[in-house]
Amino acid sequence: GTMNELLTRGIGHAEFKNSLLGRIPKNWDVFYINDIAFVTKLAGFEYSEYFDYSIGGDIIAIRALNLKNAKLDLKEVQTIPKSVSDKLPRSKLQKGDLVISYVGTVGEVALIEKSEKFHLAPNVAKITPNQEKILPEFLLHNLMSNKTKKLIMLLGTITSQPSLNMGNIRKILISLPSVKEQRKICNIFSSIDNFIEIKIKKLKKYKSLKKSLMQDLLTGKVRVSVN
């Protein structure tokens, strides 16, 4: 609810206007992603000619299964040599890039936070924001929003396997405030995310404690007196 409110009404606005994305603040604009970012993918020949996961290396190839809950999930990775990544600069991932899955589980996203560590794999596209117009974090939250997810599903091709082509990714609409307001909104999102992370850690701690206590009860290490 907070995300939807901030991405559609912003902070402290009194005047609004109609747009392709509904009511937005009067001084906001609506852009296609193609107008504010560069979108590309790993070419077929790049994968077939250069990728050999059996060799391994220092660079992690980001696949669709590595994108979960708007973060990188690196429990299961395939790697390539840095020399291969350097030969393919267009599909190399740098800090501030976003990645989005476009085949199968369509629309999973994540933000790249380190340079010289990741490279595109098949079925994942790279979005490089023009940071003079849009902050990477602001674009990430837009792509996570329910409104954008619904738009992605409408743009996607539903066959035996859902897919989204590069042209349709470039047609995703984003409502955009000034960079200054974007930063304020992102700071609020960051505070909420930190709060949620603290609560999740506490929950995991309590679950672990409960599991330990139950194990002790079952093995007789803890005696319970019932009066």
Side-chain angles (χ1 to χ4, degrees):
T2 301
M3 179 182 288
N4 181 66
E5 181 75 11
L6 288 171
L7 293 177
T8 56
R9 299 184 64 83
I11 300 172
H13 294 278
E15 295 184 89
F16 296 85
K17 65 182 179 183
N18 293 321
S19 76
L20 292 172
L21 290 174
R23 298 280 287 174
I24 60 172
K26 190 175 180 179
N27 62 347
W28 287 26
D29 290 306
V30 173
F31 294 94
Y32 291 108
I33 280 186
N34 192 52
D35 297 325
I36 54 174
F38 172 70
V39 179
T40 191
K41 66 175 181 177
L42 183 75
F45 80 90
E46 291 179 325
Y47 179 70
S48 60
E49 291 185 20
Y50 294 97
F51 275 51
D52 184 351
Y53 292 140
S54 65
I55 296 174
D58 298 324
I59 304 299
I60 297 172
I62 297 299
R63 298 171 292 160
L65 62 83
N66 299 127
L67 308 180
K68 292 181 181 177
N69 301 319
K71 292 183 179 180
L72 293 180
D73 182 341
L74 304 178
K75 293 174 186 172
E76 184 180 337
V77 298
Q78 298 276 20
T79 59
I80 60 174
K82 187 176 185 302
S83 59
V84 171
S85 180
D86 289 341
K87 286 179 183 176
L88 308 171
R90 185 184 52 81
S91 48
K92 196 173 186 178
L93 294 168
Q94 304 289 0
K95 181 178 179 181
D97 288 336
L98 284 87
V99 282
I100 181 169
S101 58
Y102 63 86
V103 174
T105 307
V106 172
E108 288 289 338
V109 295
L111 175 64
I112 301 298
E113 297 182 348
K114 292 184 179 179
S115 295
E116 304 299 325
K117 187 173 181 178
F118 305 105
H119 204 100
L120 283 180
N123 302 333
V124 176
K126 174 176 79 169
I127 304 174
T128 303
N130 177 347
Q131 296 193 34
E132 291 183 0
K133 295 183 177 180
I134 185 167
L135 299 177
E137 296 83 1
F138 189 79
L139 180 54
L140 175 70
H141 284 290
N142 266 278
L143 293 172
M144 290 166 56
S145 70
N146 288 333
K147 182 177 286 189
T148 303
K149 285 182 178 179
K150 288 178 182 177
L151 178 60
I152 287 173
M153 293 308 297
L154 288 172
L155 291 170
T157 302
I158 305 299
T159 55
S160 58
Q161 190 176 36
S163 64
L164 193 68
N165 62 42
M166 295 305 100
N168 283 334
I169 292 175
R170 296 180 180 112
K171 290 178 183 176
I172 294 172
L173 289 166
I174 303 292
S175 56
L176 210 57
S178 67
V179 170
K180 182 178 180 181
E181 187 172 355
Q182 288 178 46
R183 189 167 285 112
K184 288 180 180 179
I185 291 172
C186 287
N187 287 339
I188 295 172
F189 286 146
S190 180
S191 297
I192 294 171
D193 288 341
N194 290 337
F195 176 79
I196 292 171
E197 191 172 340
I198 290 169
K199 293 298 182 183
I200 288 173
K201 285 181 179 178
K202 284 186 178 180
L203 180 61
K204 287 181 178 178
K205 181 180 178 181
Y206 290 143
K207 284 183 176 180
S208 177
L209 177 60
K210 178 184 176 183
K211 184 177 180 180
S212 177
L213 288 171
M214 289 181 68
Q215 186 65 30
D216 288 345
L217 284 168
L218 292 172
T219 57
K221 291 181 181 180
V222 176
R223 296 181 181 275
V224 178
S225 176
V226 180
N227 295 322

